[in-house]
């Protein structure tokens, strides 16, 4: 078994060729952008990639794709930055926020770190028990 490895971003996690153990991802796009976290390899998982909590490696090509996913280690909260939301008031965060919303199952806090998030629309799906929480100054607007 390999110890804990580190990669700079989610693209680095998807490109990993050592598919075992734990990996520390230091950011979604870049180090320190709020999208990082710890992922553990689950060799039996065939869960759908949600771009934030379940990551399918690039080498998972085929029909159907082979099992094995990187699973984010977290407890009770989903952070929109894990899914690539930027919150800079310029970039469209709709897709990232929707992925985060879709990953919310059970009772979770849905976290928006300080920023201005451009969100065009969200489809609610089924989320029985969750609440939105802003950390610092948060603006959620539609461009």
């Amino acid at each position: 078994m390999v110890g804990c490895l580190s990669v700079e971003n989610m693209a680095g996690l998807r490109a990993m060729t050592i598919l075992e153990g734990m990996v520390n991802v230091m950011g979604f796009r870049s180090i320190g952008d709020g999208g990082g976290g710890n992922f553990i390899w689950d060799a039996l998982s065939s869960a759908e990639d949600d771009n934030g909590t379940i990551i399918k490696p690039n080498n998972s090509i085929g029909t159907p794709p082979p099992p094995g996913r990187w699973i984010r280690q977290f407890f009770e909260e989903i952070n929109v930055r894990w899914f690539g939301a930027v919150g800079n008031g310029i970039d469209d965060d709709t897709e990232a926020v929707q992925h985060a919303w879709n990953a919310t199952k059970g009772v979770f806090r849905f976290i928006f770190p300080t920023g201005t998030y451009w969100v065009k629309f969200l489809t609610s799906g089924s989320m029985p028990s969750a609440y939105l929480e802003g950390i610092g100054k948060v603006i959620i607007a539609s461009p």
Side-chain angles (χ1 to χ4, degrees), residues 83-110:
F83 296 82
V86 179
N88 63 6
I90 299 168
D91 293 322
D92 183 352
D93 293 311
T94 303
E95 184 176 348
V97 172
Q98 185 68 61
H99 280 294
W101 186 264
N102 293 346
T104 304
K105 296 174 177 70
V107 179
F108 289 106
R109 294 184 309 160
F110 194 73

CSV table of all heavy atoms in Angstrom, one decimal, residues 83-110:
chain,number,residue,atom,x,y,z
A,83,PHE,N,-16.3,21.6,-6.1
A,83,PHE,CA,-16.8,21.3,-7.4
A,83,PHE,C,-16.4,22.3,-8.4
A,83,PHE,O,-16.9,22.2,-9.6
A,83,PHE,CB,-18.4,21.2,-7.3
A,83,PHE,CG,-18.8,20.1,-6.4
A,83,PHE,CD1,-18.9,20.3,-5.0
A,83,PHE,CD2,-19.2,18.8,-6.9
A,83,PHE,CE1,-19.3,19.2,-4.2
A,83,PHE,CE2,-19.5,17.8,-6.1
A,83,PHE,CZ,-19.6,18.0,-4.7
A,84,GLY,N,-15.6,23.3,-8.1
A,84,GLY,CA,-15.0,24.2,-9.0
A,84,GLY,C,-15.7,25.6,-9.0
A,84,GLY,O,-15.3,26.4,-9.8
A,85,ALA,N,-16.6,25.9,-8.1
A,85,ALA,CA,-17.2,27.2,-8.1
A,85,ALA,C,-16.0,28.2,-7.7
A,85,ALA,O,-15.2,27.9,-6.8
A,85,ALA,CB,-18.3,27.3,-7.0
A,86,VAL,N,-16.0,29.3,-8.3
A,86,VAL,CA,-14.9,30.3,-8.1
A,86,VAL,C,-15.4,31.4,-7.2
A,86,VAL,O,-14.6,31.8,-6.3
A,86,VAL,CB,-14.5,30.9,-9.5
A,86,VAL,CG1,-13.4,31.9,-9.3
A,86,VAL,CG2,-14.0,29.8,-10.4
A,87,GLY,N,-16.6,31.9,-7.4
A,87,GLY,CA,-17.1,33.0,-6.5
A,87,GLY,C,-16.4,34.3,-6.7
A,87,GLY,O,-16.3,35.1,-5.7
A,88,ASN,N,-16.0,34.6,-7.9
A,88,ASN,CA,-15.2,35.9,-8.2
A,88,ASN,C,-16.1,36.9,-8.8
A,88,ASN,O,-15.6,38.0,-9.1
A,88,ASN,CB,-14.0,35.6,-9.0
A,88,ASN,CG,-14.3,35.1,-10.4
A,88,ASN,OD1,-15.5,35.0,-10.8
A,88,ASN,ND2,-13.3,34.7,-11.2
A,89,GLY,N,-17.4,36.7,-9.0
A,89,GLY,CA,-18.3,37.6,-9.6
A,89,GLY,C,-18.2,37.7,-11.1
A,89,GLY,O,-18.9,38.5,-11.7
A,90,ILE,N,-17.3,36.9,-11.7
A,90,ILE,CA,-17.0,37.0,-13.2
A,90,ILE,C,-17.4,35.7,-13.8
A,90,ILE,O,-18.2,35.6,-14.8
A,90,ILE,CB,-15.6,37.3,-13.5
A,90,ILE,CG1,-15.2,38.7,-12.9
A,90,ILE,CG2,-15.3,37.3,-15.0
A,90,ILE,CD1,-13.8,39.0,-12.9
A,91,ASP,N,-16.9,34.6,-13.3
A,91,ASP,CA,-17.1,33.2,-13.8
A,91,ASP,C,-18.5,32.7,-13.5
A,91,ASP,O,-19.0,33.0,-12.4
A,91,ASP,CB,-16.1,32.2,-13.3
A,91,ASP,CG,-14.7,32.5,-13.8
A,91,ASP,OD1,-14.5,33.0,-15.0
A,91,ASP,OD2,-13.7,32.4,-13.0
A,92,ASP,N,-19.1,32.0,-14.4
A,92,ASP,CA,-20.4,31.4,-14.2
A,92,ASP,C,-20.2,30.1,-13.3
A,92,ASP,O,-19.5,29.2,-13.7
A,92,ASP,CB,-21.0,31.0,-15.6
A,92,ASP,CG,-22.4,30.4,-15.5
A,92,ASP,OD1,-22.8,30.1,-14.4
A,92,ASP,OD2,-23.0,30.1,-16.6
A,93,ASP,N,-20.8,30.2,-12.2
A,93,ASP,CA,-20.6,29.1,-11.2
A,93,ASP,C,-21.8,28.1,-11.2
A,93,ASP,O,-21.9,27.2,-10.4
A,93,ASP,CB,-20.5,29.7,-9.8
A,93,ASP,CG,-19.2,30.4,-9.6
A,93,ASP,OD1,-18.2,29.9,-9.9
A,93,ASP,OD2,-19.3,31.6,-9.1
A,94,THR,N,-22.7,28.2,-12.2
A,94,THR,CA,-23.9,27.4,-12.2
A,94,THR,C,-23.6,25.9,-12.2
A,94,THR,O,-24.2,25.2,-11.4
A,94,THR,CB,-24.8,27.8,-13.4
A,94,THR,OG1,-25.1,29.1,-13.4
A,94,THR,CG2,-26.1,26.9,-13.5
A,95,GLU,N,-22.8,25.5,-13.1
A,95,GLU,CA,-22.5,24.0,-13.2
A,95,GLU,C,-21.9,23.5,-11.9
A,95,GLU,O,-22.3,22.4,-11.4
A,95,GLU,CB,-21.6,23.7,-14.4
A,95,GLU,CG,-21.3,22.3,-14.6
A,95,GLU,CD,-20.5,22.0,-15.9
A,95,GLU,OE1,-20.3,22.9,-16.7
A,95,GLU,OE2,-20.1,20.8,-16.0
A,96,ALA,N,-20.9,24.2,-11.4
A,96,ALA,CA,-20.3,23.7,-10.1
A,96,ALA,C,-21.3,23.7,-9.0
A,96,ALA,O,-21.3,22.7,-8.2
A,96,ALA,CB,-19.1,24.7,-9.8
A,97,VAL,N,-22.1,24.7,-8.8
A,97,VAL,CA,-23.1,24.7,-7.7
A,97,VAL,C,-24.1,23.6,-7.9
A,97,VAL,O,-24.5,22.9,-7.0
A,97,VAL,CB,-23.7,26.1,-7.6
A,97,VAL,CG1,-24.9,26.1,-6.6
A,97,VAL,CG2,-22.7,27.1,-7.2
A,98,GLN,N,-24.5,23.4,-9.2
A,98,GLN,CA,-25.5,22.3,-9.5
A,98,GLN,C,-24.8,20.9,-9.1
A,98,GLN,O,-25.5,20.1,-8.5
A,98,GLN,CB,-25.9,22.3,-10.9
A,98,GLN,CG,-27.0,21.2,-11.2
A,98,GLN,CD,-28.3,21.6,-10.6
A,98,GLN,OE1,-28.9,22.6,-10.8
A,98,GLN,NE2,-28.8,20.7,-9.7
A,99,HIS,N,-23.6,20.7,-9.5
A,99,HIS,CA,-22.9,19.4,-9.1
A,99,HIS,C,-22.9,19.3,-7.6
A,99,HIS,O,-23.1,18.2,-7.0
A,99,HIS,CB,-21.5,19.4,-9.6
A,99,HIS,CG,-21.4,19.0,-11.1
A,99,HIS,ND1,-21.8,17.7,-11.5
A,99,HIS,CD2,-21.0,19.7,-12.2
A,99,HIS,CE1,-21.6,17.7,-12.8
A,99,HIS,NE2,-21.1,18.9,-13.3
A,100,ALA,N,-22.6,20.4,-6.9
A,100,ALA,CA,-22.5,20.3,-5.4
A,100,ALA,C,-23.9,20.0,-4.8
A,100,ALA,O,-24.1,19.2,-3.9
A,100,ALA,CB,-22.0,21.6,-4.8
A,101,TRP,N,-24.9,20.7,-5.4
A,101,TRP,CA,-26.3,20.5,-4.9
A,101,TRP,C,-26.7,19.0,-5.2
A,101,TRP,O,-27.3,18.4,-4.3
A,101,TRP,CB,-27.2,21.4,-5.7
A,101,TRP,CG,-28.6,21.4,-5.3
A,101,TRP,CD1,-29.7,20.7,-5.9
A,101,TRP,CD2,-29.2,22.2,-4.3
A,101,TRP,NE1,-30.8,21.0,-5.2
A,101,TRP,CE2,-30.6,21.9,-4.2
A,101,TRP,CE3,-28.7,23.1,-3.3
A,101,TRP,CZ2,-31.5,22.5,-3.3
A,101,TRP,CZ3,-29.6,23.7,-2.4
A,101,TRP,CH2,-30.9,23.4,-2.4
A,102,ASN,N,-26.4,18.4,-6.3
A,102,ASN,CA,-26.7,17.1,-6.6
A,102,ASN,C,-26.0,16.1,-5.7
A,102,ASN,O,-26.5,15.0,-5.5
A,102,ASN,CB,-26.4,16.7,-8.1
A,102,ASN,CG,-27.2,17.5,-9.1
A,102,ASN,OD1,-28.2,18.1,-8.7
A,102,ASN,ND2,-26.8,17.5,-10.3
A,103,ALA,N,-24.8,16.4,-5.2
A,103,ALA,CA,-24.1,15.5,-4.4
A,103,ALA,C,-24.6,15.5,-2.9
A,103,ALA,O,-24.2,14.7,-2.1
A,103,ALA,CB,-22.6,15.9,-4.4
A,104,THR,N,-25.4,16.5,-2.6
A,104,THR,CA,-25.9,16.7,-1.2
A,104,THR,C,-27.0,15.6,-1.0
A,104,THR,O,-28.0,15.6,-1.6
A,104,THR,CB,-26.5,18.1,-1.0
A,104,THR,OG1,-25.5,19.0,-1.3
A,104,THR,CG2,-26.9,18.3,0.4
A,105,LYS,N,-26.7,14.7,-0.1
A,105,LYS,CA,-27.6,13.7,0.3
A,105,LYS,C,-27.7,13.6,1.8
A,105,LYS,O,-26.8,13.8,2.5
A,105,LYS,CB,-27.1,12.3,-0.3
A,105,LYS,CG,-27.1,12.3,-1.8
A,105,LYS,CD,-26.5,11.0,-2.2
A,105,LYS,CE,-26.4,10.9,-3.7
A,105,LYS,NZ,-25.5,11.8,-4.4
A,106,GLY,N,-28.9,13.4,2.3
A,106,GLY,CA,-29.1,13.4,3.7
A,106,GLY,C,-29.1,14.8,4.3
A,106,GLY,O,-29.5,15.8,3.7
A,107,VAL,N,-28.6,14.9,5.5
A,107,VAL,CA,-28.6,16.2,6.2
A,107,VAL,C,-27.2,16.8,6.1
A,107,VAL,O,-26.2,16.3,6.6
A,107,VAL,CB,-28.9,16.0,7.7
A,107,VAL,CG1,-28.8,17.3,8.4
A,107,VAL,CG2,-30.3,15.4,7.9
A,108,PHE,N,-27.0,17.8,5.3
A,108,PHE,CA,-25.8,18.5,5.1
A,108,PHE,C,-25.9,20.0,5.1
A,108,PHE,O,-26.9,20.5,4.8
A,108,PHE,CB,-25.2,18.1,3.7
A,108,PHE,CG,-24.7,16.7,3.6
A,108,PHE,CD1,-25.4,15.8,2.9
A,108,PHE,CD2,-23.5,16.3,4.3
A,108,PHE,CE1,-25.0,14.5,2.8
A,108,PHE,CE2,-23.1,15.0,4.2
A,108,PHE,CZ,-23.8,14.1,3.4
A,109,ARG,N,-24.8,20.6,5.5
A,109,ARG,CA,-24.7,22.1,5.3
A,109,ARG,C,-24.2,22.3,3.9
A,109,ARG,O,-23.2,21.6,3.5
A,109,ARG,CB,-23.8,22.7,6.3
A,109,ARG,CG,-24.4,22.6,7.7
A,109,ARG,CD,-23.5,23.3,8.7
A,109,ARG,NE,-22.1,22.9,8.6
A,109,ARG,CZ,-21.1,23.6,9.2
A,109,ARG,NH1,-21.3,24.7,9.8
A,109,ARG,NH2,-19.9,23.2,9.0
A,110,PHE,N,-24.8,23.2,3.2
A,110,PHE,CA,-24.4,23.5,1.8
A,110,PHE,C,-23.6,24.8,1.9
A,110,PHE,O,-24.2,25.9,2.1
A,110,PHE,CB,-25.6,23.6,1.0
A,110,PHE,CG,-25.4,23.6,-0.5
A,110,PHE,CD1,-25.0,22.4,-1.2
A,110,PHE,CD2,-25.6,24.8,-1.3
A,110,PHE,CE1,-24.8,22.4,-2.5
A,110,PHE,CE2,-25.4,24.7,-2.6
A,110,PHE,CZ,-25.0,23.6,-3.3
